[in-house]
Amino acid sequence: MKNNSNLRRKLLTLLAFTPLFALPAHAQKAGDTVRIGYQKSSTLITVLKTRGTLEQRLGALGVKVTWHEFASGLPLLEALNVGAIDVSADVADTVPVFAQAAGAQLTYIAQESPSPSAQAIVVKADSNIKTLADLRGKRVGFAKAAGAHYLLIAALEKAGLSLKDIQLAYLAPADGRAAFEREAIDAWVIWDPFLAAVQRQSQVRVLTDGRGLADYQRYYLSSTPFAKARPDVVKVIVEALQETGKWVKQSPKDAATLLAPVWGLDVPTVEQANARRSYEVRAVLPERLGEQQKIADAFLAEGLLPKKVNATAVPVF
C-alpha cells in the first residue's frame, strides 16, 4: 500500500497537471450519484452532457449525474482511483498505462477504435524542419502522458532518434498553442480538436500524423468498485456512448453545430476534427490491447514509468 502511494506521488509530480477545480474528497453513497469526469476534448461525453441524455436515462434508475472537468487525462484517472469520481470519459491510450504504474484500481468499460490521423506533429509552414530527422536538437512541445507523447516517441524512433535527442517542452494544449504561435517551440505534437484549430487558424504543415506509428485508441473507464456495484449504470452509459458515436458520424454538421459553442470553435473546425475520429465505441477485448503493452514498454524504456507494467492486466466490463 505504501509503495503504491509512493508511486502515485512520483507520477503526479512527474506530470504536474491539476484539475480545473477541486473535487469533493468524500465518497458518496454508491449508486445514488454517478460522478463523471471529462476533458474539453471528450466529444461524446460532451454531447451527452449538453443534451442531458444521461440525466434522463439514469434518472429512471434513481441515479443523479454530476460533471467534473479536468485539464488532462492523468489527474482525471487519479480522481477515479481515489474515489472522487466514478466514471471517466475517454482518455488517450497512454493514460491508463501511467495510472496502472501508480497502482490505480480501474476497469475498462469501452474503447474507441483507432483514430491515428487525429493527432499529429505540426511545424510552421515555413519551418526548415522537413523530416522527422530534422527534429534533432529542436524544441518540441507536447502534453506529458498524452497520446501525443507516445506518437512523438514512435516518430523519433522511426527516424533513429529518441527523446534525448530533442529539447522537451511539457505543455498542456492551451499553453502549447501559445508557445507554438510565438515560436517558443519548433514543433508541436497535438490532437483534435486542437489540431484542427491550429490547421485552420495558422499556417502550419503536418510533419507526420499517427498513421503507421500510433493507433490512438481512446478508453472509457470506471473505478473498479463502482463498476462492480452498479453495472446497470455502466451499461446505460456505454450504450449511450455507442449511440452518440454513430450520431456524430452520421450527422457531422449537426454534431459540429452542437459542439462548436461548447468548445469555443467554429463549426467547420469541429467538423474537420470529428472527421478524423472514429467514434466507434466498442467492448474492450484482450486481443485489442496489444498496443497498450507497446506504449508501456516504450515509456519504461524512456525512464518515464517507475516500474514495468502488464498493460493487459486490467479488468474489463
Side-chain angles (χ1 to χ4, degrees):
M1 192 71 177
K2 183 178 179 182
N3 287 338
N4 283 347
S5 297
N6 289 337
L7 286 174
R8 186 155 53 243
R9 282 196 296 272
K10 288 178 182 177
L11 195 53
L12 291 178
T13 300
L14 173 71
L15 296 176
F17 285 133
T18 56
L20 295 184
F21 56 85
L23 288 170
H26 66 280
Q28 300 182 26
K29 183 179 177 182
D32 288 349
T33 299
V34 56
R35 298 160 296 170
I36 301 177
Y38 67 101
Q39 304 172 71
K40 186 175 182 180
S41 58
S42 301
T43 307
L44 303 186
I45 283 289
T46 299
V47 172
L48 291 173
K49 179 177 181 291
T50 303
R51 287 175 149 183
T53 304
L54 294 180
E55 284 83 352
Q56 293 176 355
R57 296 189 184 183
L58 293 175
L61 299 177
V63 176
K64 180 183 177 183
V65 180
T66 61
W67 303 94
H68 308 275
E69 185 176 353
F70 289 78
S72 63
L74 195 79
L76 196 166
L77 291 198
E78 173 64 9
L80 196 67
N81 186 45
V82 300
I85 59 173
D86 304 303
V87 173
S88 165
D90 55 306
V91 295
D93 40 17
T94 54
V95 179
V97 169
F98 278 82
Q100 275 186 271
Q105 299 301 306
L106 307 173
T107 294
Y108 284 131
I109 62 172
Q111 82 177 172
E112 287 182 14
S113 62
S115 301
S117 63
Q119 56 178 357
I121 303 175
V122 297
V123 296
K124 290 293 183 70
D126 59 356
S127 171
N128 61 3
I129 300 173
K130 306 297 183 183
T131 68
L132 291 172
D134 294 335
L135 289 174
R136 183 187 294 273
K138 297 298 192 293
R139 189 167 174 80
V140 183
F142 59 97
K144 216 166 195 178
H149 195 163
Y150 177 66
L151 171 59
L152 178 60
I153 291 173
L156 290 172
E157 182 180 10
K158 181 180 179 181
L161 304 175
S162 73
L163 293 179
K164 297 180 180 64
D165 294 309
I166 63 172
Q167 299 180 57
L168 310 181
Y170 299 128
L171 299 166
D175 296 328
R177 174 69 184 269
F180 184 70
E181 294 293 357
R182 67 174 185 270
E183 299 186 4
I185 55 177
D186 302 297
W188 187 31
V189 197
I190 192 59
W191 60 93
D192 279 320
F194 310 104
L195 171 59
V198 76
Q199 285 182 294
R200 296 185 63 85
Q201 297 165 4
S202 299
Q203 296 297 311
V204 304
R205 175 163 39 87
V206 172
L207 194 60
T208 187
D209 61 22
R211 285 174 288 188
L213 294 171
D215 282 349
Y216 192 50
Q217 300 181 85
R218 296 183 69 89
Y219 288 86
Y220 298 84
L221 300 101
S222 169
S223 70
T224 297
F226 187 84
K228 290 180 177 179
R230 291 307 302 261
D232 55 337
V233 173
V234 174
K235 184 173 184 290
V236 168
I237 293 172
V238 172
E239 289 175 349
L241 288 168
Q242 291 172 331
E243 293 171 12
T244 303
K246 291 176 183 177
W247 176 76
V248 169
K249 299 305 286 186
Q250 293 169 358
S251 306
K253 182 70 71 176
D254 291 341
T257 300
L258 182 147
L259 288 164
V262 179
W263 282 350
L265 297 171
D266 60 90
V267 171
T269 297
V270 177
E271 197 167 356
Q272 179 176 325
N274 286 345
R276 290 189 287 233
R277 286 276 294 276
S278 72
Y279 295 128
E280 180 194 1
V281 179
R282 61 189 188 180
V284 179
L285 303 175
E287 59 266 29
R288 292 175 179 163
L289 290 173
E291 184 152 303
Q292 291 299 93
Q293 192 61 54
K294 291 181 182 179
I295 290 169
D297 294 343
F299 280 120
L300 182 68
E302 290 288 349
L304 294 168
L305 285 184
K307 64 177 183 179
K308 185 173 178 60
V309 168
N310 180 355
T312 63
V314 180
V316 299
F317 179 74

